[in-house]
Amino acid sequence: MTPRRTDGSSPAPERPTDPAVRRANLRRVAILFKSYRLRLAAVLGLIFLSALLGIVSPFLIRDIFDGALPQNDDRLLTFLVLGLVAIAVVTGALGVWQTWLSNVVGQQVMHDLRAAVYRHLQRLSLAFFTRTRTGEVQSRIANDIGGIQTVVTSTATSIVSNVTTVVAAVVAMFLLDWRLALFSLALVPVFVLLTRRVGRERRKITTTRQRTMADMSALVEESLSVSGILLGKTMGRGGELAGRFERESSQLADLEVRQRMAGRWVMASIQTSFSVMPALVYWFAGQPFVGAISLGTVVAFTTLQTRLFFPVGSLLSVQIDVQTSLALFDRIFEYLDLPVEIGERPDAKPLPPCRGDISFERVWFRYDKGADTPGRAVEGEEDAVGGEWTVRDVSFEVPSGTRTAIVGETGSGKTTLGYLAARLYDVDRGRVLLDGIDVRDVTFASLAQTIGVVSQETYLFHASIRENLRFAKPEASDEEIEAAARAARIHDLIAGLEDGYDTVVGERGYRFSGGEKQRIAIARTILRNPPVLVLDEATSSLDTRTERAVQEELDRLSEGRTTITIAHRLSTIRDADQIVVLDRGEVVERGTHDELIELGGLYAALVARDEVLAITGEPL
């Protein structure tokens, strides 16, 4: 398993020089192509056929110089020349076909890889996304996977093609003259060793470059979002953000230059050697100690040399590109290796028709798991490894069709309990039951259909109102969408817009006020029609007038449903069937509003403070 940073911000890379990791990742790269064996076999067949045709030409050239021209045999000369032309035409056609097939396979592999990363990210817990920058995730999908595109789509087949060509050319060179062959190939092993060193250097630079690109992507995503621009302008920090971006960009530019120039002198020396090698062959062939070599053989041999050195040079360059791409594969596999902390059990079953009874049975939970395993510590004590408990031994029931409010100071665990009910997190100990069934024993799809969550942060996609509403129920008709909007009292506003329900809401819904966005979110939940609701401080960010209007819609939405309300303003939950009061993750009081006021405990103090704040605007 790939190790991760302790804060969970992003995966920490394995040591890039670890041979075991390198071999394992190479096997994983090979597995990516496994589903396309037949097409790859066709590509290999075309490659071998092209290579075989390629080595025929030098022998035809030899026969032209040693036979047709000295003997003035026009018929033979015409036949040999037509053979050269035919080979060129057929080889070109085979090359086009091979390129098409290899690109089709490569793009399919790229699609599979992108889809696998995105699907895996969808399965990760909410905790991962609370710890990881969005720009970092985007960079892995866009920059890292995009960076290996050339290797996947063309380099893999290029390697096979060049290796086949080199092997065929070497065999043909030895068949023509073994002495010239040994002389020509003497420096190739030295070139291979030099390029291996260049490849390792480029790979290190690539790893650093990709991290810098991820940092810059995160900065762009955060600072150029609507919220980021607004914050930068109101704080007067636009210039500082621009300066930070320039520093990141300058560092990236420097890394790009370093990567492109790494080993450039080595590669230039190799290419120069290849260029002068035919001239050295002419010199070597003319030495007395070599013996007699025909003109046709020398011309054919240098022709083979030209065809040999190009694929050899390509292979040496490809080795560097592959080393670079392996660094990107390492980063992609890091994400694919992230454990799915909240997974659907193999024997999970769909929920039967739901009544809506919810039970919390001795629930313990904490965000900082450390290296602890559930049940390791003594209840009520902290582990030396794990973090502080957010929820401690919480037990209470929410009967079907009733409304339960959870209140407490900030950080007391209110939202956590709501998210545990919806299984956005899993309990460390204890159970959360829905109609007597542990929520961990049911399918995610049926649980999502049963429990609806309306949070204080309303998220709308940059799409039309209709598309945002239909996200809750893709098969919903226009009539159902309008009925849900009417129930949320937002239909008249939408109908008054120029484009009506086809109005694009803008980035995160910034075309609408907070209250309007909340009503759209409520309409979205009404359209989904879940029997259980979790209202997570859904009105906390609204002004008093808007809050009252939205609260009326929430009350109407709650009718006949089991509702858990995470309360911010206590005036909104006075009529709840029961109120659960949390303090540092523990249930300290429970009852109706009147019962808790009469008790005179923490809830009564919270209500008194809330009333003073409502009158004076100042807390006690």
Side-chain angles (χ1 to χ4, degrees):
M1 183 179 296
T2 307
R4 282 157 291 282
R5 297 180 187 173
T6 55
D7 64 353
S9 58
S10 60
E14 288 272 12
R15 290 182 304 163
T17 55
D18 190 336
V21 175
R22 174 62 52 240
R23 288 193 297 270
N25 282 351
L26 284 173
R27 286 194 294 271
R28 294 175 73 173
V29 173
I31 290 173
L32 292 173
F33 291 87
K34 188 175 181 180
S35 301
Y36 307 99
R37 292 188 294 268
L38 292 178
R39 288 183 176 179
L40 285 175
V43 171
L44 293 177
L46 293 172
I47 288 172
F48 288 134
L49 184 57
S50 297
L52 289 175
L53 289 175
I55 64 173
V56 172
S57 297
F59 289 94
L60 298 180
I61 293 174
R62 182 190 63 181
D63 291 344
I64 289 174
F65 279 91
D66 289 349
L69 292 178
Q71 298 171 14
N72 292 321
D73 190 337
D74 294 338
R75 184 177 179 183
L76 177 62
L77 179 63
T78 301
F79 175 78
L80 294 174
V81 169
L82 288 176
L84 290 174
V85 172
I87 288 174
V89 172
V90 173
T91 302
L94 292 176
V96 172
W97 193 8
Q98 173 207 317
T99 301
W100 176 76
L101 270 177
S102 60
N103 274 277
V104 168
V105 173
Q107 288 300 330
Q108 285 295 323
V109 170
M110 291 290 293
H111 162 72
D112 293 344
L113 193 57
R114 282 193 299 265
V117 172
Y118 188 86
R119 188 172 294 278
H120 187 72
L121 288 171
Q122 287 287 338
R123 297 173 61 212
L124 296 182
S125 69
L126 186 63
F128 168 78
F129 296 96
T130 61
R131 298 189 302 251
T132 307
R133 298 173 301 176
T134 304
E136 166 75 16
V137 177
Q138 291 174 342
S139 180
R140 296 284 173 130
I141 294 177
N143 297 333
D144 292 354
I145 295 180
I148 64 172
Q149 180 165 335
T150 301
V151 170
V152 171
T153 55
S154 60
T155 303
T157 52
S158 174
I159 292 174
V160 177
S161 176
N162 288 325
V163 167
T164 305
T165 302
V166 167
V167 171
V170 169
V171 171
M173 289 169 72
F174 275 94
L175 290 175
L176 283 170
D177 193 284
W178 64 270
R179 296 162 297 179
L180 295 180
L182 289 178
F183 176 76
S184 299
L185 300 175
L187 293 179
V188 171
V190 178
F191 296 155
V192 172
L193 292 176
L194 290 175
T195 52
R196 285 176 62 87
R197 294 182 59 184
V198 174
R200 286 194 295 267
E201 183 181 355
R202 282 199 183 181
R203 185 173 152 215
K204 292 177 182 177
I205 296 173
T206 297
T207 300
T208 305
R209 184 194 67 172
Q210 293 305 118
R211 290 175 184 164
T212 303
M213 289 180 70
D215 291 339
M216 194 165 72
S217 295
L219 174 61
V220 170
E221 192 275 333
E222 292 169 356
S223 62
L224 294 185
S225 65
V226 175
S227 299
I229 286 290
L230 182 61
L231 181 63
K233 288 182 178 295
T234 55
M235 292 291 185
R237 303 293 290 277
E240 183 176 331
L241 288 171
R244 180 180 164 192
F245 178 82
E246 289 176 5
R247 289 191 296 272
E248 296 276 3
S249 178
S250 176
Q251 182 180 359
L252 179 62
D254 179 64
L255 288 169
E256 290 281 4
V257 172
R258 286 175 55 195
Q259 184 194 37
R260 295 176 187 276
M261 292 305 297
R264 185 56 61 185
W265 284 110
V266 172
M267 298 307 297
S269 301
I270 293 173
Q271 291 171 359
T272 301
S273 299
F274 287 167
S275 299
V276 302
M277 188 60 69
L280 295 178
V281 167
Y282 295 143
W283 172 83
F284 183 77
Q287 299 305 307
F289 61 84
V290 176
I293 300 177
S294 70
L295 175 63
T297 299
V298 173
V299 173
F301 191 91
T302 53
T303 302
L304 269 176
Q305 253 190 338
T306 304
R307 295 184 179 181
L308 171 69
F309 288 151
F310 176 77
V312 168
S314 296
L315 283 173
L316 296 177
S317 300
V318 161
Q319 183 184 20
I320 295 174
D321 294 336
V322 169
Q323 288 284 344
T324 299
S325 297
L326 286 176
L328 302 182
F329 274 114
D330 290 343
R331 286 170 55 84
I332 296 166
F333 291 147
E334 283 169 12
Y335 262 27
L336 287 174
D337 289 340
L338 288 172
V340 179
E341 298 172 352
I342 303 178
E344 187 174 276
R345 293 178 175 176
D347 57 347
K349 298 179 179 179
L351 274 168
C354 182
R355 299 188 309 274
D357 292 310
I358 299 176
S359 298
F360 291 84
E361 292 186 353
R362 306 204 68 182
V363 170
W364 293 71
F365 176 80
R366 64 178 162 209
Y367 291 97
D368 185 7
K369 310 294 184 184
D372 178 44
T373 55
R376 174 180 172 183
V378 177
E379 290 186 356
E381 296 182 3
E382 303 300 335
D383 286 337
V385 180
E388 183 178 355
W389 293 104
T390 305
V391 174
R392 302 164 177 265
D393 200 17
V394 168
S395 297
F396 65 90
E397 294 186 359
V398 183
S400 173
T402 64
R403 183 183 177 198
T404 293
I406 303 176
V407 302
E409 299 281 6
T410 300
S412 61
K414 305 186 298 296
T415 296
T416 300
L417 283 179
Y419 285 1
L420 288 172
R423 211 191 167 198
L424 297 177
Y425 298 103
D426 266 348
V427 298
D428 291 317
R429 302 173 191 161
R431 298 189 301 171
V432 178
L433 304 179
L434 181 57
D435 288 347
I437 304 173
D438 194 320
V439 295
R440 293 170 293 186
D441 293 332
V442 301
T443 61
F444 283 130
S446 64
L447 188 62
Q449 286 294 325
T450 303
I451 301 179
V453 179
V454 180
S455 66
Q456 58 182 315
E457 182 181 354
T458 302
Y459 188 88
L460 299 177
F461 292 104
H462 186 72
S464 69
I465 298 173
R466 191 188 312 278
E467 290 171 304
N468 272 281
L469 293 177
R470 195 166 273 155
F471 186 75
K473 186 179 179 182
E475 72 278 9
S477 65
D478 290 345
E479 290 75 16
E480 290 177 304
I481 290 173
E482 291 186 15
R486 290 181 190 277
R489 297 191 180 181
I490 194 65
H491 170 75
D492 291 342
L493 184 144
I494 297 174
L497 299 172
E498 181 178 353
D499 294 325
Y501 282 87
D502 294 320
T503 300
V504 176
V505 302
E507 177 75 16
R508 300 179 65 88
Y510 268 87
R511 288 193 59 174
F512 298 94
S513 68
E516 291 164 352
K517 287 192 293 184
Q518 278 290 17
R519 293 188 189 192
I520 293 175
I522 293 169
R524 187 164 55 189
T525 305
I526 292 173
L527 187 63
R528 189 170 157 206
N529 195 29
V532 178
L533 279 177
V534 176
L535 305 177
D536 178 21
E537 304 192 40
T539 62
S540 62
S541 60
L542 307 179
D543 60 79
T544 304
R545 181 178 178 182
T546 304
E547 180 192 29
R548 289 197 189 102
V550 171
Q551 189 61 48
E552 289 179 6
E553 312 313 323
L554 291 175
D555 292 340
R556 184 176 292 103
L557 178 62
S558 301
E559 292 177 1
R561 307 175 196 270
T562 304
T563 305
I564 297 176
T565 301
I566 314 300
H568 176 75
R569 293 176 182 167
L570 304 184
S571 59
T572 62
I573 50 93
R574 292 176 183 268
D575 297 329
D577 296 292
Q578 72 168 330
I579 298 172
V580 177
V581 184
L582 294 181
D583 185 26
R584 297 183 181 180
E586 297 181 87
V587 176
V588 294
E589 295 172 5
R590 191 172 63 194
T592 64
H593 172 78
D594 294 336
E595 290 171 347
L596 295 178
I597 290 294
E598 185 177 350
L599 184 63
L602 177 59
Y603 178 76
L606 291 174
V607 170
R609 185 178 65 182
D610 203 40
E611 289 174 346
V612 170
L613 180 61
I615 295 172
T616 66
E618 295 292 336
L620 285 173

